[in-house]
Amino acid sequence: MTERMIVVGADAAGMATAAQARRRRDRNDLEIVAFERGHFTSYSACGIPYWISGLVPEREQLVARDPETHRKQYDIDVRLRHEVTAIDLDRREVVARDLDGGGEVRERFDTLMYAAGAVPIKPDWARTDAAGVFGVQTLDDGSALRRWLEAEPRPRRAVVVGGGYIGVEMAEALVLRGLSVTLLERGEQPVSTVDPDMAVLVTEAMRGLGVDIRTGVEVTGLAVRDGRVYGVQTDAGHLPTDLVVLGLGVRPNTALAEAAGLPLGPTGGIRVDRRMRVTGTPGVWAAGDCVETLHRVSGLPVHIPLGTHANKQGRVAGINIGGGYATFAGVIGTAVTKVCDLEVGRTGLRERDATAAGFEFVSVIAESTNRAGYYPGSRPMTVKLIAERPSGRLLGAQIVGWSEAAKRIDTLAVALWNRMTVDDMTALDLGYAPPYAPVWDPVLVAARKATDALAR
Amino acid sequence: MTERMIVVGADAAGMATAAQARRRRDRNDLEIVAFERGHFTSYSACGIPYWISGLVPEREQLVARDPETHRKQYDIDVRLRHEVTAIDLDRREVVARDLDGGGEVRERFDTLMYAAGAVPIKPDWARTDAAGVFGVQTLDDGSALRRWLEAEPRPRRAVVVGGGYIGVEMAEALVLRGLSVTLLERGEQPVSTVDPDMAVLVTEAMRGLGVDIRTGVEVTGLAVRDGRVYGVQTDAGHLPTDLVVLGLGVRPNTALAEAAGLPLGPTGGIRVDRRMRVTGTPGVWAAGDCVETLHRVSGLPVHIPLGTHANKQGRVAGINIGGGYATFAGVIGTAVTKVCDLEVGRTGLRERDATAAGFEFVSVIAESTNRAGYYPGSRPMTVKLIAERPSGRLLGAQIVGWSEAAKRIDTLAVALWNRMTVDDMTALDLGYAPPYAPVWDPVLVAARKATDALAR
């Protein structure tokens, strides 16, 4: 008898699952129905800031695979604008509302993939339907913001609330569109995904671009007139603005899952096992921004919403649902971002994470260059390493530089993944040629410095 | 009593040794004398092509540390233009000839560091003192070539013999200077450090730049008139030219070492142990382009002359001579090069090496892009992986691409260094953001493809 899989959420995790399952089982063996409340499938949310800035001209460029491709090429019954409103585990049914046509459908499943993603974190003041307040999580969010930016009279001032990756990328995007931009960050520095001594480099670069960065500022409310925002109220005074972008991060979208009784972990994400099965819930799987996962260094569960994890997890789930065997190995917190011309990379634990996890460690910051010093385009690169004391095991790394910096974090990520010590790392055979590295690559310079620090 | 170290060759390996030893032992404890037959210390031979092209304007930019710095900062008695002509292990003496002043000096040593580097491979036809024939191994070679290029009448045509890295880089440099360049390669493709199916991409790029590449061509002689070269004779006919660059590779410079009775290995390089001590020869050390080293994948000795190894080996030797403990862990054959705008990286074994070492393997070539497909500047990237069958262990990797390609080899090099399987590699947490990678990094795309190939 044909088995039936329902996918809740037709973005990265859900559709990677569906595609992998389909590779292994044809439609006579496995029917796949995917519900998506939005207008799009499989798109790059990470690309939204570049579409807003105009660097990527067309919204459709961000769509990796449209519904027709999923339907025709993978034989997946994709139903856009259908919001799943309930999951009944006993009856093995989901209920979905047709957001455009109206009405409700009930669909039976044997296998359920819960891939509902994440929802923006909204403090009370942000729960508004005032015009001019935007999230940037979905393509629909992005479309609304683009319309606002192109409407007359053109907005001139923007306030971005939150200095995480998306906030910083949006601040830059809006500057590139010619707006005067203020970035509000509650903490000490924006880009708190790196330690403050590295984040300060990013803050300087953003100020150099003209972004008005205000740190240690708490938003208390929005000023709204005639249903339209005109200012942001903070504990440091009022800021007039023509639009507000919310970049306060996201949390796992688990409302439906909780209602159905799926287990959540301490991070608020759905608990899954290594094969992406929801813990203790036969036939139910979850993947992507709605689940929590293991951090391989701290050993703790973490919630790191990122397309690359969603895709990997979906692939793992799909292989398993398809009858194969695969496990998700966990994450180490690798991330890269571009801020103005500055490149930022990180992997593993920050100092605060290492302390929280109970590690003793040394940390070093090494200055070097991306290329041989005499080669044109040579620019400074700063590498920070955090290593366990006394073992020397690499716990975390951060890089800030002007070019060829961000992806050098991968070299450190693979070293960290393999539990290398900084001393062992000094021996690594990395590529050397004047256009690409000094004779001691910045990664090796930092490993040497950390080794020296451990010996003291 | 003060111990005395003599260093033969004051370039990367020798001076890294001296500097590390000095860090741990002051001059009352260890006297250091370094003999160098050339005019320079510690320079980047790898940078010569970029100085020839004009990309690096001044010769002095290639000198990382001049003799004065070594003397003043490290208290090393550097003697330029002194060629060591004999080593007497029984009497613990070296004999050196003063190339400028004339005469000979004899100097006693307790410790000897042999770091005489490599010498160009010269077939009979290349053993000439005809004007217009150039090596590019030393700064003195480079100076001679620069003078030739700037003399009137300006040379218009050049023939580069040999399609290794240096040959290819020199061909590009001469094209950039406006010369009409022919590259002669005896084998099937230039850049034979990657497999032919990858090298073909490089050949195409060079032809696009206007280099006349002729493969399968053997040079038989030079045409010389009035002591000046005017053509190259080959088994495919005569090629008129105004200058000839020899890029036929190098071999360990061991004449002195052999005469002194130091042991050579099967590659022709000096045999050393893990601490860089010359095997069976107390008090004598060697490092850099004159030694052979262990290839960690094949388990065989190899001779890979490269500044990054020379520096690491010198550091290891210097730590040991200084009274510390360090070992050189071997190499995996990582190398990167820039050919026109094309970037080339490699690590581990090529197919022919894997076969020679007795491995069974699969190899895959995966096409991807350096950035998210929609991000401006996204360019194709080709990744080749060679994985042991059935274990899946990565044995080698090659990358060719147009930007952000070469140094991605480091990610693969660290994976290979840690004996990862391609299946494990599909789980790696690598940096993802649209300006830097597609959601599946090219490295991961290739690892998935290799995993699939192994399953078949």
Side-chain angles (χ1 to χ4, degrees):
Chain A
M1 206 186 82
T2 306
E3 200 179 298
R4 191 152 206 254
M5 171 160 77
I6 286 183
V7 178
V8 180
D11 203 354
M15 298 322 271
T17 305
Q20 279 293 332
R22 176 60 76 228
R23 274 182 72 183
R24 292 165 173 262
R25 297 172 68 178
D26 69 19
R27 69 161 302 146
N28 296 320
D29 184 28
L30 182 72
E31 186 187 351
I32 305 177
V33 181
F35 289 112
E36 167 57 46
R37 69 178 169 187
H39 291 88
F40 305 94
T41 55
S42 305
Y43 63 87
S44 172
C46 321
I48 292 174
Y50 312 107
W51 171 47
I52 298 296
S53 73
L55 208 54
V56 175
E58 299 298 330
R59 181 176 67 187
E60 282 59 37
Q61 293 179 263
L62 300 184
V63 178
R65 247 178 226 163
D66 63 19
E68 273 317 287
T69 307
H70 287 298
R71 286 181 192 125
K72 295 205 170 131
Q73 205 167 318
Y74 294 91
D75 224 333
I76 296 163
D77 179 3
V78 177
R79 305 197 195 163
L80 293 185
R81 299 287 290 155
H82 275 69
E83 181 170 18
V84 174
T85 53
I87 297 167
D88 187 330
L89 289 181
D90 293 328
R91 301 178 61 173
R92 310 304 268 185
E93 270 184 8
V94 303
V95 181
R97 192 165 59 217
D98 180 344
L99 297 177
D100 293 330
E104 231 176 50
V105 292
R106 305 181 80 86
E107 292 285 357
R108 181 192 61 78
F109 63 82
D110 302 292
T111 299
L112 181 73
M113 163 48 68
Y114 188 89
V119 288
I121 292 170
K122 286 194 181 176
D124 281 342
W125 61 259
R127 293 174 203 279
T128 172
D129 49 11
V133 182
F134 302 93
V136 278
Q137 217 228 336
T138 64
L139 276 192
D140 290 323
D141 292 340
S143 301
L145 175 53
R146 283 277 301 219
R147 280 193 300 273
W148 188 262
L149 289 169
E150 284 157 11
E152 297 295 344
R154 292 286 170 106
R156 292 180 304 106
R157 296 163 304 186
V159 172
V160 177
V161 186
Y165 290 140
I166 190 78
V168 160
E169 288 163 1
M170 285 304 303
E172 182 179 0
L174 294 168
V175 165
L176 290 177
R177 287 193 72 104
L179 279 81
S180 165
V181 179
T182 302
L183 178 78
L184 301 181
E185 164 60 39
R186 195 162 59 170
E188 187 185 340
Q189 297 273 0
V191 190
S192 65
T193 49
V194 295
D195 286 323
D197 48 10
M198 298 293 278
V200 68
L201 302 172
V202 184
T203 306
E204 281 165 16
M206 292 190 70
R207 287 194 167 130
L209 191 74
V211 178
D212 175 12
I213 298 181
R214 306 196 186 178
T215 57
V217 173
E218 184 93 47
V219 174
T220 54
L222 299 177
V224 177
R225 191 164 43 210
D226 301 334
R228 187 179 170 108
V229 73
Y230 69 92
V232 177
Q233 288 145 357
T234 77
D235 58 3
H238 175 87
L239 281 168
T241 189
D242 303 321
L243 69 97
V244 175
V245 171
L246 302 175
L248 293 160
V250 296
R251 58 181 177 73
N253 181 13
T254 55
L256 261 181
E258 279 182 272
L262 302 188
L264 305 189
T267 69
I270 295 169
R271 290 180 57 207
V272 291
D273 70 8
R274 294 227 159 196
R275 295 180 74 174
M276 306 312 296
R277 293 181 292 215
V278 175
T279 305
T281 317
V284 181
W285 306 69
D289 291 357
C290 60
V291 306
E292 66 177 28
T293 187
L294 174 72
H295 196 294
R296 292 168 63 97
V297 185
S298 70
L300 301 172
V302 288
H303 176 242
I304 300 181
L306 203 56
T308 183
H309 303 325
N311 272 286
K312 286 200 194 80
Q313 291 170 346
R315 174 174 174 266
V316 165
I319 290 172
N320 287 315
I321 291 168
Y325 175 76
T327 61
F328 185 69
V331 301
I332 55 175
T334 310
V336 290
T337 190
K338 187 171 179 303
V339 185
C340 321
D341 285 334
L342 205 63
E343 303 192 356
V344 183
R346 56 147 290 160
T347 190
L349 306 181
R350 295 165 299 183
E351 289 195 16
R352 78 194 85 163
D353 307 318
T355 301
F359 286 107
E360 289 217 8
F361 59 86
V362 299
S363 65
V364 297
I365 290 183
E367 302 291 345
S368 179
T369 55
N370 55 338
R371 307 176 183 177
Y374 57 79
Y375 196 89
S378 178
R379 299 292 302 272
M381 190 181 304
T382 306
V383 179
K384 177 171 187 168
L385 297 186
I386 298 168
E388 188 183 23
R389 186 204 293 275
S391 74
R393 177 187 165 197
L394 183 66
L395 297 176
Q398 297 160 29
I399 303 184
V400 177
W402 272 264
S403 71
E404 297 118 36
K407 282 292 269 182
R408 260 185 173 84
I409 203 69
D410 286 352
T411 307
L412 290 157
V414 181
L416 190 149
W417 185 276
N418 286 286
R419 305 177 66 99
M420 291 187 82
T421 66
V422 288
D423 188 24
D424 283 344
M425 286 167 58
T426 64
L428 282 171
D429 186 359
L430 304 182
Y432 162 60
Y436 303 123
V439 69
W440 288 98
D441 190 272
V443 165
L444 300 175
V445 172
R448 284 178 58 174
K449 191 163 180 180
T451 302
D452 288 347
L454 283 158
R456 278 196 293 271
Chain B
M1 208 187 80
T2 306
E3 199 179 301
R4 193 151 203 257
M5 171 160 78
I6 285 184
V7 178
V8 181
D11 202 355
M15 297 322 270
T17 305
Q20 279 293 332
R22 177 59 78 228
R23 274 181 72 182
R24 292 164 173 261
R25 298 171 69 177
D26 68 20
R27 69 161 302 145
N28 296 319
D29 185 28
L30 183 72
E31 186 188 350
I32 305 177
V33 181
F35 290 111
E36 167 57 45
R37 69 177 169 187
H39 292 86
F40 305 94
T41 55
S42 305
Y43 63 88
S44 172
C46 321
I48 292 174
Y50 310 108
W51 170 47
I52 298 296
S53 73
L55 207 54
V56 174
E58 299 298 331
R59 182 178 64 186
E60 283 58 37
Q61 293 178 264
L62 300 184
V63 177
R65 250 180 224 162
D66 62 21
E68 273 316 288
T69 307
H70 286 298
R71 288 182 191 124
K72 294 203 169 134
Q73 206 167 316
Y74 295 90
D75 223 334
I76 296 162
D77 178 4
V78 177
R79 305 196 195 163
L80 293 184
R81 299 288 290 157
H82 275 69
E83 180 171 17
V84 175
T85 53
I87 297 168
D88 187 329
L89 288 181
D90 294 328
R91 302 178 61 174
R92 309 306 267 184
E93 270 184 7
V94 303
V95 181
R97 192 166 58 216
D98 180 345
L99 297 177
D100 293 331
E104 231 177 49
V105 293
R106 304 182 82 86
E107 292 283 358
R108 182 192 60 77
F109 64 84
D110 302 293
T111 299
L112 182 74
M113 163 48 68
Y114 188 90
V119 287
I121 292 170
K122 285 194 181 176
D124 282 340
W125 59 260
R127 294 175 203 277
T128 172
D129 48 12
V133 181
F134 301 94
V136 278
Q137 217 227 337
T138 65
L139 276 191
D140 290 324
D141 292 340
S143 301
L145 176 53
R146 282 278 299 220
R147 278 194 301 274
W148 189 263
L149 289 168
E150 284 157 12
E152 298 293 346
R154 293 288 169 103
R156 294 181 300 105
R157 295 164 303 185
V159 172
V160 177
V161 186
Y165 289 143
I166 192 76
V168 160
E169 288 163 3
M170 285 305 303
E172 182 179 0
L174 294 168
V175 165
L176 290 177
R177 287 192 73 104
L179 280 80
S180 164
V181 179
T182 301
L183 179 77
L184 301 181
E185 163 61 40
R186 194 162 61 169
E188 187 185 342
Q189 297 273 357
V191 191
S192 65
T193 50
V194 295
D195 286 322
D197 49 9
M198 297 294 278
V200 68
L201 302 171
V202 183
T203 306
E204 280 166 16
M206 293 190 69
R207 288 195 165 129
L209 190 75
V211 178
D212 174 12
I213 299 181
R214 307 197 184 176
T215 57
V217 173
E218 186 93 46
V219 174
T220 54
L222 298 177
V224 177
R225 190 163 42 208
D226 300 333
R228 188 180 171 110
V229 73
Y230 69 92
V232 177
Q233 288 146 354
T234 77
D235 58 2
H238 175 87
L239 281 168
T241 190
D242 303 320
L243 69 96
V244 174
V245 171
L246 302 175
L248 293 162
V250 296
R251 57 178 177 75
N253 181 13
T254 55
L256 263 181
E258 280 182 273
L262 302 189
L264 305 188
T267 69
I270 296 170
R271 288 180 58 206
V272 292
D273 70 8
R274 293 227 158 197
R275 295 180 76 175
M276 306 311 297
R277 293 182 292 215
V278 174
T279 304
T281 317
V284 181
W285 307 69
D289 292 357
C290 59
V291 306
E292 66 176 27
T293 188
L294 173 73
H295 196 294
R296 291 169 62 97
V297 185
S298 69
L300 301 172
V302 287
H303 176 243
I304 301 181
L306 203 56
T308 184
H309 302 326
N311 271 286
K312 285 200 194 82
Q313 290 170 347
R315 175 174 174 266
V316 164
I319 289 172
N320 288 315
I321 292 168
Y325 175 77
T327 61
F328 185 70
V331 301
I332 54 175
T334 310
V336 290
T337 191
K338 186 170 180 304
V339 185
C340 320
D341 285 335
L342 204 63
E343 304 192 354
V344 183
R346 56 146 291 160
T347 190
L349 307 180
R350 295 165 299 182
E351 289 195 15
R352 78 194 83 163
D353 307 318
T355 301
F359 286 108
E360 290 218 5
F361 59 87
V362 299
S363 66
V364 296
I365 289 182
E367 302 290 345
S368 181
T369 55
N370 55 338
R371 308 175 183 177
Y374 56 80
Y375 196 88
S378 177
R379 300 290 303 272
M381 191 181 304
T382 306
V383 180
K384 176 171 187 169
L385 297 185
I386 298 168
E388 187 184 23
R389 183 204 296 273
S391 74
R393 176 186 166 198
L394 184 66
L395 298 176
Q398 297 160 30
I399 303 184
V400 177
W402 272 264
S403 71
E404 296 117 35
K407 282 290 271 181
R408 259 185 174 87
I409 203 69
D410 286 352
T411 307
L412 290 157
V414 181
L416 190 149
W417 186 275
N418 286 285
R419 305 176 66 98
M420 291 186 81
T421 66
V422 289
D423 188 23
D424 283 344
M425 286 169 57
T426 65
L428 282 170
D429 186 358
L430 304 181
Y432 162 59
Y436 303 123
V439 70
W440 288 98
D441 189 272
V443 165
L444 300 175
V445 172
R448 284 177 58 174
K449 191 162 180 182
T451 303
D452 287 348
L454 284 158
R456 276 197 294 272

